[in-house]
Amino acid sequence: MNVSFLGGPRPQRGVGVIAPFDFALDRELWRWVPDDVSLHLTRTPYVPVEVSLDLARLVSEHETLHEAVRALNEVAPEVVAYACTSGSFVGGVAGERAMGEAMTRAGAAHAVTTSGAMLAALAELNAHRIALVTPYTVSVTQSLEEYLAEAGILVTGRASLGLVRHIWKVPYHDVVAMAHRAVRTTTPDVLFISCTNLPTYDVIPQLEAELRMPVISANQVTIWAALRHLGTRAVGPYQALLDESARQTFGAGPVPPPPVLPEEQEGWA
């Protein structure tokens, strides 16, 4: 079949993504991306360290960011996103800001990080009190809370798993259970699910319906923030951050039914 009359693939706008070496949810990131945008992923170098504050510091070193951005520059993305929550909150607010500046110095046209995107999403939702779901150990979760406190955000509750590896294998039902524990005795403005290696795409609308509050996740806010620099919207039905009409349902009548969760969980192996 001769397809030369088509003239080639549709023009694409590029988003560069710097992910930790153990990132396993490439496909989940793509689910938030419209058809006219391509993700260009690169990973930080492997280091033999478990998920911890030490690892967060290693995968966010400025030299590592510089080399990653240089590699991505070959395909000229319009924005570069650093897709790691702990790596971008471990240095506090100033450290997160310095990471963005380092990426820009390396040649990124625009730079975002997951933790910076989280704060931007909270501002978008006018949220000042949040509950946390994390797969982390106590020390890493505490570091996230310190970052949020520095940014003026009050953590009202939390639930965590204490994992140091294979976070992408956590099934959706565990994420849902943690979310309910995190808000059991509190009334936050938003629930945040941390870690870009924790699957969340399909559980966000379910949790928003069950908890009657906005639910945001690390991968969601990362892509949302990156696409804002392109002037385009992320794809996420029934997700309040991405759909203003969904925000109007909280506390105001019945919530639209969320899509059914797939039998095969994202990233499960």
Side-chain angles (χ1 to χ4, degrees):
M1 179 180 177
N2 186 349
V3 297
S4 59
F5 70 93
L6 295 175
R10 292 175 55 188
Q12 294 281 295
R13 306 181 71 184
V15 172
V17 178
I18 303 171
F21 63 88
D22 63 345
F23 180 71
L25 299 184
D26 303 54
R27 182 172 176 271
E28 174 165 283
L29 287 184
W30 277 93
R31 296 181 70 184
W32 276 290
V33 178
D35 289 342
D36 62 342
V37 174
S38 284
L39 298 181
H40 308 296
L41 274 82
T42 190
R43 282 168 167 75
T44 63
Y46 169 78
V47 289
V49 179
E50 295 178 330
V51 176
S52 60
L53 292 176
D54 287 339
L55 180 61
R57 296 184 184 100
L58 287 169
V59 298
S60 59
E61 291 178 343
H62 288 192
E63 182 178 352
T64 296
L65 299 179
H66 180 85
E67 292 303 313
V69 171
R70 284 186 61 191
L72 289 169
N73 283 345
E74 289 300 308
V75 293
E78 296 181 47
V79 58
V80 175
Y82 176 79
C84 178
T85 324
S86 61
S88 52
F89 68 61
V90 69
V93 171
E96 186 279 330
R97 188 177 301 117
M99 290 177 66
E101 293 169 353
M103 292 161 67
T104 302
R105 286 196 303 273
H110 299 283
V112 300
T113 74
T114 299
S115 294
M118 171 189 60
L119 294 183
L122 293 175
E124 173 75 12
L125 296 169
N126 194 29
H128 305 283
R129 295 164 48 86
I130 73 169
L132 296 177
V133 165
T134 89
Y136 310 134
T137 60
V138 171
S139 61
V140 180
T141 301
Q142 180 61 40
S143 182
L144 171 56
E145 293 195 37
E146 291 169 359
Y147 173 81
L148 288 163
E150 187 181 354
I153 304 297
L154 175 67
V155 175
T156 63
R158 83 265 319 136
S160 58
L161 287 174
L163 298 180
V164 295
R165 62 172 66 86
H166 296 169
I167 290 171
W168 70 89
K169 294 184 178 182
V170 174
Y172 277 148
H173 66 75
D174 286 358
V175 178
V176 171
M178 282 195 295
H180 281 271
R181 289 202 305 273
V183 302
R184 184 175 298 162
T185 60
T186 65
T187 54
D189 301 321
V190 166
L191 173 74
F192 174 61
I193 306 174
S194 190
C195 188
T196 54
N197 233 359
L198 189 64
T200 59
Y201 187 93
D202 294 296
V203 297
I204 290 173
Q206 174 183 334
L207 287 172
E208 290 187 333
E210 293 175 354
L211 304 178
R212 305 192 68 80
M213 68 179 66
V215 175
I216 60 177
S217 76
N219 280 332
Q220 180 205 48
V221 300
T222 302
I223 297 300
W224 167 80
L227 292 178
R228 287 213 302 178
H229 282 285
L230 274 61
T232 191
R233 299 172 66 91
V235 179
Y238 300 107
Q239 297 183 19
L241 176 64
L242 314 180
D243 181 359
E244 291 187 11
S245 64
R247 303 177 198 177
Q248 300 170 7
T249 65
F250 301 124
V255 179
V260 176
L261 294 181
E263 292 182 359
E264 185 173 355
Q265 309 295 354
E266 187 80 46
W268 180 254

